[in-house]
Amino acid sequence: MSEESEESVPLLPLQQESMASALFNTDQNDNSERRRHDNSERRRNDNAESETNGQPQNNIQQVVEQDEEEDEELTLKYGAKHVIMLFVPVTLCMVVVVATIKSVSFYTRKDGQLIYTPFTEDTETVGQRALNSILNAAIMISVIIVMTILLVVLYKYRCYKVIHGWLIISSLLLLFFFSFIYLGEVFKTYNVAMDYITVALMIWNFGVVGMICIHWKGPLRLQQAYLIMISALMALVFIKYLPEWTAWLILAVISVYDLIAVLCPKGPLRMLVETAQERNETLFPALIYSSTMIWLVNMAEEDPEAQRKSKNSAFDKQAPASRTQNEDAEADDGGFSQEWQQQRDNRIGPIESTPESRAAVQALPSNSQTSEDPEERGVKLGLGDFIFYSVLVGKASATASGDWNTTLACFVAILISSLISPYVFVFCFFSYPQGLCLTLLLLAIFKKALPALPISITFGLVFYFATDNLVQPFMDQLAFHQFYI
Amino acid sequence: MNLERVSNEEKLQLCRKYYLGGFLALPFLWLVNVVWFFRAAFLAPPFGEQPRIKSYVLRSALGAALWGLGLGVWVGLFQSRRGQWGALGDALSFTQPMGEP
């Protein structure tokens, strides 16, 4: 059978893997998943009767282990594919930010600071500057923590209207005000005359269509484009208004906080995710970038029936692993089926395989009869991650002595480390002055949110400082001495 | 959202809403309407609601084209005649270029 030949192929290099998974026929998928599921059932049964069977059980165990390895291989393939699906938007966001920083001087000019960072860095002594930046970072982080907790509390007490209003105001601000400023600065940079009428029309169109795409229904690509644009705008604001040392400190502390907030049992983000899961709801579709279609559900609507019947589906990682015997749909899980189900069962206990008990997500496994497009498996990324990655790279390009070298180094560091950190799925939150709230990304293997900021930001910071302080002077010296390598 | 997973009736309603929304000085919305529903309206095999969707798409395209034309004319006028308009030109200007005209 063709599917057997698929599974017996040894672990391919990454690019081939993603290609192979892209070419993966859905029927093969479904069948192989069913088979894996059967194997796991068998495994459980075997373990239950371990005393009785001797030899035959060992054989079965071996076969099952081999299947497990192949499962992991496929898991890796799909995980990698999804990571790559996120490379493009993150890269695009960074490109926009760097391009703007390089061309529009407005964003590198010091025009004051945000009220969240009241201490200036123009001090006489280095020690004073360090102290100020630490204080600034502390204030900013505490603001973020407070916002996060506020959001979790609001969510827990079902104040959906408040959250919704908060989100709408924030996106209004971003889409209209910040883009207005951005447009103005771009025109000034290129010395172009523009009249109010055209500008008003452009901003009005941009903003309204953006609101429609993000908060209501719109073409997926356009929605993704808008999310990238608002992330870039936000990152530019940060780059402009955060003084240098403060910015680096904030990046470092936020990655640590991300780690804590996501993984600790009492972490606010984790609680948010779990609450959402209990209630079977989606989380702020407005602030999550999805690499495939998302089904926009009003948070107030909890309609498992509608979920079941609706044809819109978001195939993302945590597509609920519904038991295959109850639905003819296969769990569209991006290849994580077996590991997930078992680990989830181990942690949470077996879950009723009713439609109602689906994990918080828009996902709806499709009928195995309908042709599933493998590309429809999606991955979600919080916008906060876009923003912080872009801030990192943007700051690097703005302030580094090495200029392009440093920028490139940071960029590469972020992407590669994203690849390395397992199944990078960014669980990130972001809170910003007007109270834009959490951006969450439910994630992956363990049906748990995983923070991806820490690793990537750490690598990015390390590379930035290393390149700026070590590599660039080295290159300068080489050029100075006319020694080319 | 993926149009393929949506029922035809919903497609029609969506197309219609986008069409109506464009009347609020939103030619971009009309443009999005045209591009998004182009396939459903013209390239898909005929289905019940297709003629209506087709009409909406065509009207949106017409509206977007008219707006585009109007905007192009206005921008052309403004860019070339701004200097001659004196005070009005300055009042209308959002950004003013520096240097010699």
Side-chain angles (χ1 to χ4, degrees):
Chain A
M1 282 196 348
S2 52
E3 59 177 290
E4 280 179 27
S5 65
E6 277 288 347
E7 292 199 300
S8 60
V9 166
L11 196 62
L12 303 167
L14 194 59
Q15 296 82 1
Q16 291 178 351
E17 280 168 29
S18 43
M19 269 175 48
S21 53
L23 298 171
F24 231 84
N25 190 322
T26 55
D27 292 334
Q28 286 177 357
N29 264 348
D30 296 343
N31 289 339
S32 56
E33 281 171 35
R34 223 181 268 125
R35 216 155 59 92
R36 278 184 256 137
H37 192 78
D38 292 340
N39 287 339
S40 82
E41 296 284 337
R42 209 186 325 146
R43 197 183 311 150
R44 286 190 218 121
N45 293 338
D46 288 341
N47 289 339
E49 338 161 4
S50 53
E51 311 87 45
T52 54
N53 301 338
Q55 192 67 14
Q57 194 207 347
N58 288 340
N59 288 345
I60 295 177
Q61 287 283 23
Q62 280 172 3
V63 166
V64 158
E65 276 166 16
Q66 195 188 9
D67 279 333
E68 244 184 19
E69 284 171 15
E70 289 162 351
D71 287 348
E72 282 180 21
E73 183 184 316
L74 283 167
T75 299
L76 273 175
K77 281 188 198 172
Y78 279 112
K81 181 188 174 204
H82 288 152
V83 173
I84 289 180
M85 275 206 276
L86 284 179
F87 271 13
V88 173
V90 175
T91 310
L92 272 178
C93 190
M94 289 189 203
V95 162
V96 168
V97 169
V98 171
T100 308
I101 293 274
K102 289 295 180 189
S103 51
V104 180
S105 63
F106 175 72
Y107 288 102
T108 38
R109 225 161 40 215
K110 285 285 307 168
D111 281 340
Q113 299 182 199
L114 295 173
I115 56 166
Y116 299 92
T117 52
F119 297 98
T120 174
E121 283 194 12
D122 289 329
T123 56
E124 293 104 32
T125 66
V126 173
Q128 186 72 14
R129 184 176 187 187
L131 180 67
N132 280 356
S133 55
I134 290 176
L135 288 172
N136 278 340
I139 294 178
M140 189 78 169
I141 295 293
S142 28
V143 167
I144 290 178
I145 293 179
V146 164
M147 299 279 198
T148 316
I149 295 182
L150 185 65
L151 182 75
V152 173
V153 163
L154 281 175
Y155 191 70
K156 260 202 133 91
Y157 292 109
R158 298 180 188 266
C159 307
Y160 294 141
K161 296 248 182 250
V162 178
I163 297 181
H164 220 54
W166 193 5
L167 277 179
I168 290 191
I169 292 178
S170 315
S171 30
L172 271 176
L173 191 78
L174 269 175
L175 281 172
F176 287 97
F177 185 55
F178 285 165
S179 52
F180 176 68
I181 293 180
Y182 181 80
L183 203 60
E185 292 307 321
V186 167
F187 285 144
K188 281 182 202 155
T189 304
Y190 291 107
N191 220 18
V192 170
M194 190 50 65
D195 56 301
Y196 280 113
I197 299 175
T198 315
V199 165
L201 193 68
M202 289 204 292
I203 297 290
W204 170 244
N205 273 271
F206 179 77
V208 172
V209 177
M211 291 299 286
I212 290 178
C213 278
I214 296 175
H215 291 274
W216 193 53
K217 304 177 197 167
L220 179 70
R221 289 287 174 217
L222 195 62
Q223 180 187 34
Q224 292 173 339
Y226 267 107
L227 289 174
I228 292 177
M229 283 191 270
I230 66 176
S231 306
L233 280 174
M234 204 55 233
L236 285 170
V237 166
F238 271 157
I239 293 175
K240 179 174 173 63
Y241 288 110
L242 285 180
E244 282 195 44
W245 288 18
T246 310
W248 298 120
L249 264 177
I250 286 182
L251 278 174
V253 178
I254 267 199
S255 349
V256 170
Y257 175 68
D258 193 28
L259 204 60
I260 298 175
V262 170
L263 294 179
C264 286
K266 278 300 177 188
L269 295 180
R270 174 127 172 213
M271 277 171 45
L272 192 59
V273 167
E274 281 169 4
T275 317
Q277 278 181 346
E278 284 164 34
R279 295 184 195 165
N280 250 353
E281 283 169 2
T282 71
L283 276 166
F284 313 132
L287 288 183
I288 304 177
Y289 176 96
S290 171
S291 63
T292 178
M293 322 127 283
I294 76 172
W295 181 44
L296 294 173
V297 175
N298 195 337
M299 266 187 347
E301 283 172 38
E302 288 176 76
D303 193 356
E305 289 300 311
Q307 278 182 348
R308 203 182 10 186
K309 289 186 198 128
S310 161
K311 304 256 178 56
N312 295 355
S313 38
F315 296 103
D316 57 322
K317 296 226 100 157
Q318 56 318 18
S322 40
R323 299 294 164 78
T324 48
Q325 57 263 32
N326 267 18
E327 329 218 357
D328 45 354
E330 299 300 332
D332 189 10
D333 52 8
F336 285 82
S337 59
Q338 259 357 83
E339 318 288 352
W340 261 4
Q341 287 182 22
Q342 299 198 346
Q343 275 157 1
R344 185 197 58 179
D345 290 346
N346 292 340
R347 283 161 209 270
I348 308 178
I351 291 186
E352 303 295 306
S353 48
T354 61
E356 284 78 39
S357 70
R358 279 190 206 135
V361 176
Q362 313 87 316
L364 182 69
S366 76
N367 263 331
S368 51
Q369 282 92 29
T370 66
S371 61
E372 259 177 48
D373 186 2
E375 271 85 33
E376 286 176 1
R377 297 169 183 201
V379 143
K380 291 201 184 61
L381 186 61
L383 286 194
D385 267 325
F386 278 88
I387 294 172
F388 284 113
Y389 291 156
S390 307
V391 167
L392 181 71
V393 176
K395 266 288 186 206
S397 75
T399 60
S401 56
D403 216 18
W404 285 109
N405 276 346
T406 318
T407 310
L408 230 57
C410 286
F411 171 70
V412 168
I414 287 181
L415 290 191
I416 300 293
S417 65
S418 301
L419 203 58
I420 293 173
S421 65
Y423 316 119
V424 158
F425 294 100
V426 186
F427 185 100
C428 161
F429 80 90
F430 165 63
S431 113
Y432 106 102
Q434 271 58 31
L436 200 66
C437 35
L438 291 186
T439 320
L440 296 175
L441 169 65
L442 290 183
L443 210 242
I445 313 186
F446 303 107
K447 276 254 188 210
K448 230 170 44 165
L450 284 185
L453 260 193
I455 299 182
S456 306
I457 296 277
T458 312
F459 270 75
L461 286 175
V462 164
F463 269 70
Y464 168 73
F465 286 111
T467 316
D468 206 29
N469 297 318
L470 298 176
V471 175
Q472 192 54 35
F474 176 60
M475 303 294 288
D476 288 340
Q477 283 294 313
L478 286 182
F480 182 67
H481 293 287
Q482 301 268 301
F483 186 73
Y484 298 109
I485 38 174
Chain B
M1 70 179 304
N2 193 355
L3 271 188
E4 289 157 27
R5 308 222 158 228
V6 165
S7 73
N8 288 335
E9 176 58 33
E10 270 188 61
K11 276 189 205 142
L12 178 65
Q13 287 309 314
L14 207 54
C15 192
R16 183 169 165 274
K17 287 196 179 130
Y18 268 61
Y19 168 67
L20 291 176
F23 281 107
L24 298 171
L26 291 171
F28 188 37
L29 197 61
W30 274 334
L31 189 64
V32 170
N33 200 13
V34 168
V35 172
W36 198 20
F37 284 99
F38 186 77
R39 179 184 274 177
F42 295 104
L43 303 178
F47 54 92
E49 288 83 355
Q50 199 185 36
R52 295 181 62 191
I53 291 186
K54 209 182 270 196
S55 81
Y56 285 134
V57 168
L58 283 173
R59 283 188 248 168
S60 300
L62 182 66
L66 283 176
W67 267 98
L69 201 64
L71 198 63
V73 165
W74 163 250
V75 168
L77 264 180
F78 181 78
Q79 295 289 341
S80 51
R81 307 265 172 95
R82 182 179 57 90
Q84 300 164 15
W85 288 348
L88 180 64
D90 286 345
L92 279 176
S93 292
F94 169 56
T95 54
Q96 295 182 7
M98 300 185 289
E100 300 293 325

